[in-house]
Amino acid sequence: MTWSIVARDPLTGHLGIAVASRFFAVGALVPHIRGGIGAVATQAFVSPLYGVDGLSLLAAGRAPEEIIDALTARDAGRYQRQLHLIDAKGRNAAFTGAACIDWAGHLIDENVSVAGNMLAGPGVITETLATYNKAMDKPLAERLLLAMQAGEDAGGDKRGRQSAALVIHRDQDYPWLSIRADDHPDPLAELVRLHAVAGERYLHVAETMATRQNPNGMTDRREIDEKIAALEAARIAEGRPSASFATPLKT
């Protein structure tokens, strides 16, 4: 009972999923990503195993179409499920079970797919995909958020709204960004706020974290700390409040 977008940035290879629903904590079970491997969204009458096993099969080198065939063939409940995925090369595939609640369907394009069920109509995924493709000049996170808002503006989940999530992996097993609004009257707007909060400090600190290529990470944080301090000073000088509820406006 949701819609989502699964994408690979063709310039960076980064993988992202954004999802929204009139269901509690949709980000807990729908998005599954491994950096450098692929991304899977499992929804409708959700099977988390589609995500877990789908990533394992992607890591083993199986093609997305093969994975869909393998996962659905063993599952008698497949007609009530929806699944779409992409690998690290940009190959993608999608499945919408015949018993998914109307309106249900999916669209596949180069390096991106959109799928949804129990939607206001096909315009939800059409507008989501079109907006994503028009925003290729923007960073992946912004692109995904803009796309999902376009889908919401086209009607979204026909029951209303409650939760949303955005997950982006670069080339590591852990996420570069993972934000969720689990129970909110306007969850996509809340994701936009959380993304702004992340941009104030978190995403800069993320640049210091250990990677497989550099297990030490960045141990001298002075450059990052100076950048954060400069951004904070500029915000205060301009009289702009922080996007964070935890940070008061300083004068």
Side-chain angles (χ1 to χ4, degrees), residues 4-67:
S4 62
I5 180 168
V6 175
R8 171 186 174 273
D9 189 301
L11 295 179
T12 63
H14 299 165
L15 298 162
I17 297 177
V19 57
S21 181
R22 175 61 170 89
F23 190 80
F24 176 71
V26 71
L29 295 175
V30 170
H32 299 257
I33 308 180
R34 282 179 63 184
I37 299 297
V40 183
T42 169
Q43 54 201 51
F45 205 63
V46 65
S47 170
L49 294 180
Y50 279 16
V52 174
D53 294 346
L55 287 179
S56 294
L57 291 168
L58 283 171
R62 299 282 292 275
E65 287 284 4
E66 291 181 70
I67 292 170

Side-chain angles (χ1 to χ4, degrees), residues 3 103-107 114 116 119-131 147-157:
W3 86 102
W103 188 90
H106 58 260
L107 292 172
V114 184
L119 301 180
V124 177
I125 64 170
T126 300
E127 289 303 313
T128 300
L129 181 60
T131 299
M148 290 299 293
Q149 187 59 55
E152 178 65 42
D153 293 343
D157 186 323

